[in-house]
Amino acid sequence: NNGNSCWGNIEVEDKMAPVISCSVFEVECVADMNFEPTHSDNCSESELIVLDDYSEKVICDNFIQRIKYTEYAAVDEHGNISMPCVQEVRILIPDISSIVFPPSYELMNSSNLTCTNVSFENGFPSLEDTGLPSYQNIELMPGINELCDIFLEYEDILVNQSGCGRKYMRTWRVYQEFCHDFRVEDHVQVIEIEDTEDPLINCPEPT
C-alpha cells in the first residue's frame, strides 16, 4: 500500500434502439382490430409510434376480403428509434347466412308487443323496441358496413290495423359483394301489437 488513490467518471449512454416485432392476425369483420406489436428496450421503457395505416380490398379470395396494414416503430426514452415493421390484420369474409335476425313478435305465441311498450319511428315500430340483426354477437346497423363489406336494409309494411292493434311485416335484406357479384340474404320479421290491457276507470269521491 503506497497511499496513492484515484477516481474517475463513467458515462453510460444508450445507443441501442428498441426491438419491435409485428405479427399477422386473422379476425372477423366485427372484431376488435387494435393489435399492437411487441416491443422492448435494453435500458428504458419504449413506446410505439404509427408511421402509416391503410387497408386494401382483396378481390375474389374465398376467405379474406380486406387486409389492414399498420406500420409501426418503437422509440425509447433517449430518442432511439427501431427499424419499422408492418402489422397485418386479415379481415375474414363474413358468412351472411350466419347473421342472426331479430325475432318475430306474434300474438299466436304470446310474444306480441302491447300498445304501451312500443315506440314508433316514422309511423313504424322502432328498431330499439323490435331489435337489430347481429353477427358474432355484434349488432349491425342499417346501411353500409365498410369493414364487413355488406349493405343492410329493411322495409316495413302495415298488414292490418284495428284501434291501436297493428300487424307489420318487416323484411330485412343483406347484400354482400363478392367477386363482382352479389349475395343476398332475406328474413321476414312479423311484428304484432295488440291492445291486451283493460281500461282504467277513476271514480270521483262521493260528495
Side-chain angles (χ1 to χ4, degrees):
N1 187 359
N2 57 13
N4 294 328
S5 63
C6 67
W7 64 88
N9 296 319
I10 299 177
E11 183 177 351
V12 179
E13 293 186 354
D14 181 10
K15 298 293 188 180
M16 295 183 64
V19 176
I20 186 172
S21 177
C22 290
S23 302
V24 176
F25 298 91
E26 289 188 357
V27 299
E28 296 286 353
C29 63
V30 293
D32 183 5
M33 300 182 191
N34 294 320
F35 300 101
E36 292 187 343
T38 59
H39 57 100
S40 61
D41 188 62
N42 63 319
C43 287
S44 61
E45 296 291 328
S46 60
E47 63 180 29
L48 293 171
I49 53 177
V50 177
L51 303 177
D52 199 5
D53 186 24
Y54 62 98
S55 65
E56 292 181 350
K57 184 174 175 62
V58 180
I59 305 297
C60 296
D61 186 276
N62 289 325
F63 303 99
I64 308 298
Q65 69 173 12
R66 187 177 295 272
I67 301 178
K68 182 176 182 290
Y69 300 96
T70 307
E71 185 177 13
Y72 289 94
V75 58
D76 65 19
E77 295 178 357
H78 302 97
N80 299 309
I81 301 178
S82 70
M83 292 292 292
C85 71
V86 177
Q87 189 99 309
E88 185 176 314
V89 179
R90 299 175 179 177
I91 302 171
L92 300 174
I93 297 173
D95 177 10
I96 62 173
S97 67
S98 297
I99 291 176
V100 178
F101 290 93
S104 292
Y105 299 92
E106 298 179 271
L107 189 62
M108 61 182 291
N109 57 18
S110 301
S111 64
N112 61 281
L113 303 175
T114 65
C115 298
T116 57
N117 68 358
V118 62
S119 57
F120 291 85
E121 296 175 356
N122 301 318
F124 294 98
S126 69
L127 299 178
E128 182 179 357
D129 293 327
T130 54
L132 289 165
S134 64
Y135 183 70
Q136 301 288 319
N137 296 318
I138 302 297
E139 288 186 337
L140 302 173
M141 296 297 296
I144 297 174
N145 186 311
E146 293 185 356
L147 288 177
C148 292
D149 278 341
I150 61 174
F151 178 77
L152 174 65
E153 67 176 3
Y154 67 95
E155 181 182 14
D156 286 334
I157 297 176
L158 175 61
V159 178
N160 57 54
Q161 179 177 358
S162 176
C164 84
R166 302 172 190 178
K167 181 176 182 179
Y168 298 92
M169 301 287 283
R170 174 169 289 168
T171 302
W172 292 95
R173 181 164 293 164
V174 182
Y175 299 91
Q176 180 182 52
E177 183 181 2
F178 178 74
C179 201
H180 313 296
D181 198 2
F182 279 98
R183 298 166 175 167
V184 180
E185 191 78 16
D186 287 337
H187 176 80
V188 175
Q189 180 188 18
V190 178
I191 303 170
E192 288 187 279
I193 303 170
E194 291 294 328
D195 183 2
T196 58
E197 299 182 8
D198 295 331
L200 298 176
I201 185 170
N202 184 19
C203 294
E205 293 291 335
T207 56

